[in-house]
Amino acid sequence: MGVQKSTEKAIETLQVEKRRYQPDPEFSKQANAQPDIYRKGFDEFWTEAAKRITFFEPWTGLYEWKPPYAKWYIGAKLNVCYNCVDRHVESGLKDKVAYFWEGEPEDDRREITFGQLQREVVRFANGLKKLGVKKGTHVGIYMGMVPELPIAMLACTRLGAPFTVVFGGFSGEALSDRMNDMQCELMITQDEGWRRGNRVPLKANADSALADSPTVKQCLVVKRTGGDVQMHPGRDLWAHDEDLLYLLYTSGTTAKPKGIIHTTAGYLVGVSTTHHYIFDVKPNSVYWCAADIGWVTGHSYIVFGPLANATTGIIYEGTPDFPDKDRWWKIVERYRPDILYTAPTTIRTHMKWGPEYAQKHDLSSLRVLGSVGEPINPEAWVWYREHIGGNRTPVVDTWWQTETGMILITPLPGITTLKPGSATQPFPTIDAAVFNNQGETVPPGGGGYLVIRKPWPAMLRGIYGDPERYQQTYWNRWKDTYFVGDGARVDEDGDFWLLGRVDDVMNVSGHRISTIEIESALVSHPAVAEAAVAGRNDRQTGQAIVAFVTLKGGKEGSPTMLKELREHVGKVIGKFAAPANIVFTPELPKTRSGKIMRRLLRDVSENRPLGDTTTLADPAVVAELARRGKEESSKEES
Ligand code: PRX
């Protein structure tokens, strides 16, 4: 334990978590992933995995790797929509439910079978065709969590029209930036969405965006209620090998968003294979990924992966606390999903509200729980397993990115010994490593930069319109090696612990420390619901640690609590890591995808004017924080 003293370390590690969870032998017996999965060769694994997908013309080469560009399943011809929808109808699954959709108003529900999904997609595609959409037409999609969103995505893939989904919480300005970057010709939106009982004016936002998006010639408006559309079925437009499937703009917080390019064959093999093994999906599974379809998690693991696997999914339109804080657990009781996949931020929110909301409902259907989007604090992991998973379910902490397209580091339920806070092992064939500043592999226990040394099927194929930036951002640091931008450490068992974005690393008295370890120490105190940590300049220590803490049950902070938390961190990690300042706050500033915005916390800690706040979910939170931050620092001075 303790901190390594060498200043050469890219990131030091503090290693506080010791709990272990062995797989349940009953689970292991029936699991999709068996231990030999790790012994398969790279080519063997992805050759076998490709059998999951129906190709119209077989591929002739597994992959071609001319760094930084990869191609997968060379020569293959396929259609993504056919793989996600039509082939299931042909194989007799017409009446299997593809999606249970739950609107925010509580009596608003739809059940869509694969047969109905096929009809809806064909109809929608025909509608698009009439508007002039064809192979290669760029389409923007700006919608909420309604069934017409996956339908629109699939209709585009059916026609071979590359699309980009812009999250429905973005403003008109963010929308027009993306329309202009991708040069979209058509936009699909809806009249309005529901959010906490309020109407979100999506069409009106789109109108304002379109005023600044000269390439968009048409706008298709979907009625939220899914009203009748009279169109004749008709189809048969196939797409081709490694065609552009979609662009997804990363939720970059400062710079111009990057349009990440994803293509068809490798992407589909990658997302369906990972979905199958990591969530242990069975033919009768009901699977709920509670992300928004506007983020990559929704693209890969609500739409393309699950549909390619003919999985029944749940889509819920609204927020977890409407009309009350037990809405999610009501949904679980109603549809009886065996798999739930969500983000640490949501888990911490449920923790903050308390377990009594989950306890009111029957959650016994759940068999596998997943987490994605941020490092999960061990305390949140354990809470999730205990209170949602009834202390029986494996929790798979899945690490990946918009760029990677598919999950790359993850436990396989039934095989992996789980450690709260660790994403554990690279998925079979994924060559992940941790490098120091010199590009040498860091030995077990040490921290550094996460890299991937071999290509993988669902990897990004570039940044739209900016090959230079693609090379620079991901490939310039080390030769033919993908630079992730996250810190990580590997422990003695070869398990990976993600340490957050490398930009968030602090330098305290010569120690390079990641924010997540101190945050997890704070969250392990029984009174704390959420914590975020940032560094501020300090004449003595280089940087000093400022912690922003939300207490459970909406409690306000006190000088006693402040002292107690400092001592707690001192005990769990070491005195040097005890925060110099603690700012108590009812909410933390988060992006719309739920990630804590540490850049803004650094501004608050430094008493600097706040940088760009346009990607914040709730800008008021940070203004209040700035006020509390000033108060806290004036206390320090006096
Ligand atoms: O920092 C990592 C964090 O989220 C980043 C990717 O964000 P995005 O492209 O928006 O995709 C999110 C959904 C895949 C990563 O660089 N991240 C994601 N999952 C984890 C994670 N950090 C730690 N553990 C995870 N399981």
Side-chain angles (χ1 to χ4, degrees):
M1 279 264 299
V3 167
Q4 296 131 357
K5 287 278 159 351
S6 161
T7 48
E8 314 238 307
K9 297 277 182 295
I11 306 170
E12 298 181 18
T13 60
L14 314 168
Q15 308 191 19
V16 293
E17 181 53 48
K18 294 282 181 231
R19 284 166 289 195
R20 301 290 177 267
Y21 295 79
Q22 306 295 338
D24 169 4
E26 287 302 309
F27 192 104
S28 303
K29 249 188 273 163
Q30 60 82 59
N32 292 350
Q34 293 296 322
D36 68 344
I37 195 171
Y38 288 109
R39 293 193 282 274
K40 297 217 166 102
F42 186 92
D43 288 20
E44 180 193 5
F45 186 90
W46 291 114
T47 299
E48 216 175 274
K51 294 191 186 129
R52 313 180 64 80
I53 299 308
T54 308
F55 295 99
F56 297 133
E57 280 178 35
W59 48 275
T60 47
L62 183 62
Y63 71 105
E64 180 192 282
W65 178 221
K66 293 185 181 148
Y69 292 100
K71 283 186 183 157
W72 278 82
Y73 303 106
I74 321 289
K77 296 225 186 310
L78 78 157
N79 181 272
V80 168
C81 184
Y82 176 80
N83 273 277
C84 290
V85 182
D86 305 64
R87 64 171 178 158
H88 306 319
V89 175
E90 287 169 15
S91 71
L93 297 177
K94 168 167 93 46
D95 296 324
K96 181 172 182 181
V97 174
Y99 289 120
F100 290 112
W101 178 75
E102 168 114 352
E104 192 185 82
E106 280 199 275
D107 47 1
D108 213 352
R109 295 191 187 99
R110 276 170 78 188
E111 221 178 87
I112 300 162
T113 63
F114 279 96
Q116 288 164 336
L117 185 62
Q118 183 187 43
R119 274 202 303 280
E120 297 283 333
V121 170
V122 168
R123 235 187 242 176
F124 208 106
N126 281 336
L128 290 176
K129 229 161 65 181
K130 285 198 182 137
L131 292 174
V133 175
K134 49 185 191 299
K135 185 170 156 42
T137 307
H138 288 190
V139 176
I141 304 178
Y142 178 63
M143 296 174 77
M145 291 285 280
V146 291
E148 286 74 16
L149 172 50
I151 290 168
M153 293 159 81
L154 291 162
C156 288
T157 73
R158 193 175 200 87
L159 299 175
F163 60 86
T164 189
V165 178
V166 179
F167 171 54
F170 273 128
S171 64
E173 195 181 323
L175 178 59
S176 74
D177 283 350
R178 286 155 178 80
M179 295 303 99
N180 293 334
D181 190 80
M182 192 176 176
Q183 306 258 296
C184 291
E185 291 175 45
L186 178 113
M187 186 192 297
I188 307 170
T189 185
Q190 65 188 68
D191 47 4
E192 293 171 324
W194 283 112
R195 196 105 189 131
R196 289 206 172 86
N198 297 318
R199 290 163 187 269
V200 183
L202 291 164
K203 174 62 168 63
N205 291 348
D207 287 339
S208 79
L210 291 184
D212 295 321
S213 314
T215 58
V216 182
K217 296 285 183 268
Q218 280 164 315
C219 176
L220 188 61
V221 183
V222 172
K223 245 203 215 157
R224 145 73 171 84
T225 50
D228 279 335
V229 189
Q230 295 302 326
M231 284 171 180
H232 297 287
R235 52 200 218 104
D236 295 351
L237 286 131
W238 307 120
H240 315 85
D241 98 303
E242 294 290 296
D243 273 332
L244 179 55
L245 174 61
Y246 66 78
L247 295 189
L248 189 57
Y249 288 86
T250 52
S251 46
T253 44
T254 41
K256 174 173 174 288
K258 304 185 277 273
I260 302 299
I261 300 173
H262 282 298
T263 57
T264 54
Y267 176 77
L268 205 56
V269 173
V271 296
S272 76
T273 304
T274 46
H275 180 251
H276 174 76
Y277 288 114
I278 296 166
F279 300 108
D280 197 49
V281 181
K282 306 296 187 199
N284 62 352
S285 280
V286 176
Y287 160 87
W288 186 15
C289 169
D292 195 287
I293 295 176
W295 310 120
V296 75
T297 307
H299 282 58
S300 296
Y301 296 108
I302 296 180
V303 182
F304 296 111
L307 290 181
N309 290 340
T311 305
T312 298
I314 297 173
I315 296 178
Y316 168 51
E317 180 185 35
T319 57
D321 55 350
F322 189 88
D324 203 352
K325 299 187 171 73
D326 66 341
R327 182 63 183 274
W328 269 32
W329 317 122
K330 258 188 175 160
I331 292 175
V332 169
E333 188 168 285
R334 173 183 302 277
Y335 301 101
R336 303 201 55 77
D338 52 330
I339 304 158
L340 173 65
Y341 190 28
T342 185
T345 174
T346 315
I347 301 165
R348 289 190 306 261
T349 302
H350 286 295
M351 256 173 103
K352 188 162 72 177
W353 293 338
E356 54 273 24
Y357 296 99
Q359 279 155 8
K360 282 201 272 186
H361 298 279
D362 176 10
L363 309 185
S364 62
S365 59
L366 292 169
R367 219 169 41 87
V368 179
L369 300 178
S371 168
V372 60
E374 276 184 291
I376 179 165
N377 318 97
E379 240 30 69
W381 192 104
V382 171
W383 189 93
Y384 192 29
R385 180 181 155 102
E386 258 180 48
H387 294 287
I388 308 306
N391 241 334
R392 8 163 255 286
T393 60
V395 174
V396 290
D397 174 7
T398 64
W399 176 88
W400 58 299
Q401 305 176 297
T402 303
E403 290 88 336
T404 69
M406 65 189 234
I407 297 167
L408 292 190
I409 303 182
T410 178
L412 291 178
I415 300 183
T416 314
T417 296
L418 303 171
K419 302 175 182 175
S422 168
T424 71
Q425 297 281 320
F427 189 76
T429 79
I430 301 305
D431 189 12
V434 174
F435 278 6
N436 65 13
N437 287 321
Q438 287 72 46
E440 300 148 350
T441 307
V442 176
Y449 305 103
L450 180 64
V451 297
I452 316 285
R453 293 178 293 198
K454 270 200 202 123
W456 62 97
M459 67 189 276
L460 75 170
R461 302 300 198 259
I463 294 178
Y464 186 68
D466 206 343
E468 193 79 355
R469 193 166 173 206
Y470 174 57
Q471 173 77 42
Q472 277 241 333
T473 312
Y474 305 107
W475 304 97
N476 267 8
R477 194 105 165 203
W478 295 295
K479 190 171 162 9
D480 303 351
T481 298
Y482 176 76
F483 179 72
V484 166
D486 282 5
R489 75 177 156 89
V490 181
D491 67 18
E492 268 69 18
D493 304 321
D495 285 324
F496 284 70
W497 298 75
L498 277 300
L499 301 174
R501 301 294 298 168
V502 292
D503 316 335
D504 293 334
V505 169
M506 301 172 296
N507 194 329
V508 182
S509 307
H511 302 295
R512 305 243 309 143
I513 321 176
S514 95
T515 51
I516 180 68
E517 296 193 279
I518 294 168
E519 288 162 7
S520 289
L522 283 163
V523 174
S524 75
H525 187 283
V528 175
E530 281 207 280
V533 156
R536 67 162 163 75
N537 287 322
D538 184 278
R539 242 175 298 146
Q540 218 151 34
T541 54
Q543 277 189 308
I545 299 171
V546 184
F548 298 81
V549 171
T550 305
L551 296 177
K552 281 188 189 152
K555 293 221 172 64
E556 280 287 328
S558 63
T560 330
M561 180 54 71
L562 192 147
K563 187 159 164 274
E564 198 175 315
L565 289 181
R566 268 191 196 146
E567 283 169 8
H568 178 73
V569 176
K571 213 164 57 210
V572 178
I573 299 181
K575 278 225 171 67
F576 72 95
N581 311 78
I582 297 182
V583 181
F584 292 99
T585 168
E587 295 286 344
L588 292 168
K590 290 181 189 157
T591 64
R592 291 191 177 84
S593 61
K595 287 190 211 294
I596 294 170
M597 263 177 97
R598 293 191 182 70
R599 175 176 60 75
L600 283 181
L601 293 179
R602 285 197 292 270
D603 291 343
V604 172
S605 313
E606 300 275 16
N607 268 326
R608 274 196 303 253
L610 301 176
D612 180 20
T613 56
T614 52
T615 55
L616 272 179
D618 179 3
V621 169
V622 77
E624 170 62 14
L625 254 188
R627 196 187 60 75
R628 289 176 183 237
K630 275 207 186 91
E631 241 175 59
E632 170 65 23
S633 61
S634 63
K635 263 190 249 158
E636 281 294 301
E637 281 153 21
S638 59

